Amino acid sequence: MVLREDAGAVTVLPRQFPTNRGGLCQKGWTAAELLDHPERLTTPLLRDPETGELRPATWAAALDRIATGIRAIQREAGRDAVAVFGGGGLTNEKAYALGKFARVALRTRHIDYNGRFCMSSAAAAGLRAFGVDRGLPFPLADLARADTLLLVGANPAETMPPMVRWLNEQRRNGGRLIVVDPRATATARQADLHLQPLPGTDLAVANALLHIALTEGWIDQAYVAERTTGFPVVRRSVAAWWPARAEQLSGVPVADLEATARALGTAGRAIILTARGAEQHAKGVDTVTAYVNLALALGLPGRPGSGYGCLTGQGNGQGGREHGQKADQLPGYRRIDDPAAREHVAGVWGVPADELPGPGVPATELLDSLGTPGGPRALLVFGSNPVVSAPRASHVERRLRGLDLLVVADLLLSETAALADVVLPTAQWAEEDGTMTNLEGRVLRRRALRPPPPGVRTDLAILADLATRLAAAEPAGAARPAATAAARFPTDPATVFAELRRASAGGPADYAGISWSRIDTADGVFWPCPTEDGPDTPRLFTERFATPDGRARFHPVDHRPAAEPVCADYPLHFTTGRVLAQYQSGTQTRRVDALRRAAPDAFVELHPDLAARLGIDDGDPVRVTSRRGDMRAPARLSPTIRPDTVFAPFHWAGPARANSVTNDAVDPISGMPEFKICAVRVEKA
């Protein structure tokens, strides 16, 4: 987008860019309304100990309260008694600085971010198969070149509307679109073929597709032999997944499985994409791996117009997970338990490597441990609203209330900020420079149109001020001088990005050759890009994979049931997702008039046959109850959902909070919670 300010009013204008070609969704066109929103925070807030209310305060008072509280807690309970929770919407510079702040200023191992709820399963599957995690290892324009495009658990018509242009172009070029989704979403309704499985059975569908491809002789034997390892074990493992077995489990007819396998196996070019519907499960990594196995067996990755990829879910969903917000990572996708990685990053940061903490724990485990014996007693939240977005949200809310110190930096009073002891007002996207990395691995520039309002500071400035205060409060003999701390945490985004480049150099996500000026002249730069005068990498895997021997890895995976099966007391499957006019936890979009008019309230979607059995009419208030809690919202009857499944969007708080119901069982590899399926009962409220 392009921004223009006339007489104080900001207007969003289209920009012809390679990925969206001037297109935005309604959320993008209306984003400027939040810049001067009447509910915007413009002064710090402190919790009054006598009344329990949040009251305006000076920046000095707010920062002193935070620094004093952190040091008191860490003196009593250790460094790890303070935790940090970040967000996938932060710029690369802020994500990098937040990870560095946790490990250098706080010296805590406890940092993770809300991207754990979004991209972690696909990331883990990509790492173990390809040796690297990049959402799309090819340019987005490749979608239009695919003869067959398989979307699994993806609804870009509502979650990424500009992407639909590529889908439309693919079909105009004679391509075939196949969608796998339990609901007949806006995207599924455009497809040539819609597979409607029971939630949680995508892995069985993938194994059946590979079984059919093997039986019909559609495997690219030369590719498998030359570019992969481990296929014989996978071949044996999918032998048991004959189509009739997959149909019995998933409900997808054998004929549709065969048609899908044929469309992929006989295509000149084919792309398989997964998204949250397939990934937000306690077996999400294995599910994605099953589709990666299928793509590898067909010889797709590394070929123009072909491959496997996943769709990101947040504004900086790719860059936000590359530079240190994740519990086990350092900048550049380096592992925090790798001695060489620790030495390199510690050298850039100017600290001894042995002072860097070890790996932390994933987000769900971190949130569950808050305020418990041995768990963190303080939490700093930047760019996230876990009271609405976390699974088993009522439990998370109780954990947050039990903390000694909760600090939230945000531009609006989110549901999480409303619980905080200290709230810090932060700058918005149009008020600070920085970079973002899109799902293609293309690093983009974000330019400030105007300064923040008086009284508002950037996240970089907040971290710098806190680091200075914390250094000054170190006990004698252990302190790093406050002046050194200030220099270690610069507030200028360009300076932070220059340091990020050095910290990422040589890592899987190598930004060393990416400068702001190069981004400006090239419509973005794709990582890895090791040198300023060398090429970037729009397409990965053309010659080798990012593994020690250059070969991709097959991994045998098998279907297993959802963590929580249905039963007599909870006989229905519950799944969640997004709607077009709202975004994430709704903190921003629920405050935009046009978006609120388009989607004013939550709802519970039921099939008419199910509603009839339950005595529910369209619009009736209903209660959805699981073993963890309940939500209440009006019923919306639709024949596009399975009769054994109910759906609710997760953007609303209060009684309509869908994540009061969802399951916090997690994938053992990625830590991804099982947002997309749990057992519930439904009744008229």
Side-chain angles (χ1 to χ4, degrees):
M1 70 174 70
V2 176
L3 298 178
R4 183 178 67 198
E5 187 171 29
D6 295 316
V10 176
T11 303
V12 177
L13 301 173
R15 177 189 175 195
Q16 287 299 320
F17 195 77
T19 51
N20 67 335
R21 297 188 291 189
L24 291 174
C25 68
Q26 190 179 14
K27 297 182 285 290
W29 293 121
T30 58
E33 294 185 25
L34 290 166
L35 294 172
D36 299 304
H37 195 280
E39 295 181 37
R40 181 160 185 196
L41 300 174
T42 56
T43 185
L45 303 175
L46 279 179
R47 182 80 56 189
D48 187 316
E50 294 184 3
T51 67
E53 296 179 355
L54 285 170
R55 297 189 179 279
T58 65
W59 274 98
L63 294 171
D64 285 345
R65 168 72 179 90
I66 297 168
T68 301
I70 287 173
R71 280 295 170 244
I73 290 168
Q74 288 190 323
R75 278 196 300 270
E76 181 179 338
R79 297 279 186 179
D80 292 337
V82 178
V84 177
F85 198 80
L90 302 180
T91 63
N92 291 324
E93 292 78 8
K94 293 191 288 187
Y96 169 83
L98 191 63
K100 178 182 176 183
F101 175 83
R103 287 154 179 139
V104 174
L106 297 176
R107 292 167 66 182
T108 177
R109 71 186 182 97
H110 285 309
I111 176 172
D112 211 57
Y113 80 128
N114 63 16
R116 180 72 65 177
F117 302 152
C118 183
M119 299 304 306
S120 58
S121 287
L127 284 168
R128 75 177 183 178
F130 306 132
V132 69
D133 159 37
R134 199 172 89 181
L136 294 186
F138 47 78
L140 193 62
D142 269 23
L143 301 186
R145 304 171 62 185
D147 299 309
T148 299
L149 178 56
L150 178 66
L151 297 181
V152 186
N155 182 21
E158 294 190 85
T159 61
M160 300 176 69
M163 178 184 158
V164 175
R165 296 185 178 199
W166 298 110
L167 305 186
N168 292 338
E169 185 172 330
Q170 185 247 358
R171 297 186 70 199
R172 285 196 301 270
N173 291 339
R176 186 171 173 82
L177 175 64
I178 304 173
V179 172
V180 182
D181 199 300
R183 302 169 62 227
T185 63
T187 306
R189 292 195 295 272
Q190 299 177 32
D192 298 285
L193 179 61
H194 174 207
L195 279 56
Q196 199 165 7
L198 180 73
T201 61
D202 297 295
L203 197 161
V205 170
N207 278 349
L209 294 176
L210 182 50
H211 176 105
I212 296 168
L214 277 161
T215 302
E216 298 296 330
W218 293 323
I219 305 303
D220 189 331
Q221 299 289 355
Y223 182 100
V224 169
E226 295 168 7
R227 304 208 57 195
T228 73
T229 63
F231 183 61
V233 179
V234 168
R235 182 174 56 208
R236 290 193 295 271
S237 71
V238 300
W241 281 102
W242 52 91
R245 181 187 178 198
E247 178 185 38
Q248 184 179 24
L249 183 69
S250 69
V252 178
V254 169
D256 289 349
L257 293 170
E258 291 175 339
T260 301
R262 182 179 301 107
L264 290 168
T266 61
R269 295 178 298 272
I271 291 175
I272 299 172
L273 297 179
T274 64
R276 305 302 83 72
E279 299 160 10
Q280 287 181 323
H281 294 270
K283 55 177 180 294
V285 176
D286 285 353
T287 298
V288 175
T289 297
Y291 285 96
V292 170
N293 286 342
L294 178 62
L296 288 172
L298 297 175
L300 306 181
R303 292 169 45 204
S306 293
Y308 163 80
C310 67
L311 302 179
T312 52
Q314 297 190 70
N316 198 26
Q318 180 66 53
R321 65 186 191 266
E322 294 172 357
H323 298 297
Q325 285 194 95
K326 289 183 73 174
D328 58 349
Q329 285 186 353
L330 291 171
Y333 264 147
R334 287 182 162 92
R335 289 190 58 85
I336 199 168
D337 57 3
D338 177 358
R342 293 170 64 86
E343 287 290 344
H344 173 84
V345 174
V348 174
W349 288 350
V351 298
D354 59 6
E355 282 193 10
L356 296 181
V361 297
T364 303
E365 184 178 347
L366 174 61
L367 294 172
D368 183 53
S369 69
L370 297 176
T372 63
R377 291 166 44 183
L379 180 69
L380 282 65
V381 179
F382 286 77
S384 189
N385 186 17
V387 165
V388 176
S389 64
R392 197 181 171 199
S394 300
H395 174 74
V396 170
E397 182 176 343
R398 289 192 294 271
R399 288 285 192 248
L400 292 171
R401 291 181 183 276
L403 289 169
D404 295 345
L405 176 65
L406 175 61
V407 179
V408 177
D410 211 327
L411 56 104
L412 297 158
L413 194 69
S414 70
E415 287 74 16
T416 303
L419 303 180
D421 300 289
V422 186
V423 181
L424 304 176
T426 61
Q428 287 201 54
W429 51 276
E431 300 162 351
E432 56 185 347
D433 291 322
T435 61
M436 313 279 276
T437 305
N438 76 353
L439 75 168
E440 308 165 294
R442 187 196 302 250
V443 186
L444 312 169
R445 281 270 280 118
R446 193 169 81 177
R447 300 169 182 81
L449 175 70
R450 67 185 197 184
V456 174
R457 299 186 183 182
T458 68
D459 289 333
L460 293 179
I462 292 170
L463 294 175
D465 287 341
L466 282 176
T468 300
R469 280 171 164 77
L470 292 170
E474 286 276 10
R480 300 182 183 123
T484 303
R488 187 169 280 134
F489 290 92
T491 61
D492 173 47
T495 303
V496 176
F497 187 75
E499 184 182 305
L500 180 158
R501 292 171 62 191
R502 297 195 302 275
S504 72
D510 191 334
Y511 281 38
I514 304 177
S515 65
W516 281 12
S517 61
R518 184 172 179 178
I519 295 171
D520 292 342
T521 58
D523 279 337
V525 181
F526 295 84
W527 68 258
C529 182
T531 61
E532 289 193 56
D533 56 356
D536 62 348
T537 316
R539 190 181 310 283
L540 297 176
F541 316 143
T542 55
E543 296 179 0
R544 59 179 286 120
F545 293 93
T547 57
D549 61 4
R551 291 172 172 261
R553 276 36 173 172
F554 279 97
H555 291 271
V557 290
D558 203 7
H559 171 79
R560 57 184 184 271
E564 183 178 71
V566 295
C567 62
D569 292 331
Y570 302 97
L572 298 168
H573 303 284
F574 179 69
T575 191
T576 65
R578 302 181 182 183
V579 296
L580 176 61
Q582 297 292 339
Y583 181 69
Q584 300 297 85
S585 69
T587 301
Q588 298 178 42
T589 52
R590 283 187 272 120
R591 288 174 166 87
V592 175
D593 288 341
L595 302 179
R596 192 167 56 245
R597 288 193 299 270
D601 298 297
F603 58 88
V604 177
E605 186 177 277
L606 305 91
H607 193 279
D609 292 348
L610 172 62
R613 292 202 305 271
L614 298 175
I616 293 172
D617 293 324
D618 194 62
D620 281 351
V622 299
R623 178 183 292 109
V624 180
T625 305
S626 74
R627 290 176 175 86
R628 289 154 297 282
D630 62 39
M631 67 164 292
R632 296 182 296 282
R636 179 178 294 182
L637 306 192
S638 172
T640 64
I641 192 169
R642 293 173 54 102
D644 56 5
T645 301
V646 295
F647 166 87
F650 57 74
H651 311 292
W652 280 269
R657 182 173 59 186
N659 279 320
S660 295
V661 178
T662 52
N663 195 349
D664 59 351
V666 298
D667 185 290
I669 300 173
S670 67
M672 170 70 79
E674 188 143 83
F675 286 107
K676 285 296 186 275
I677 183 170
C678 68
V680 300
R681 64 173 177 265
V682 177
E683 56 198 339
K684 188 182 294 188

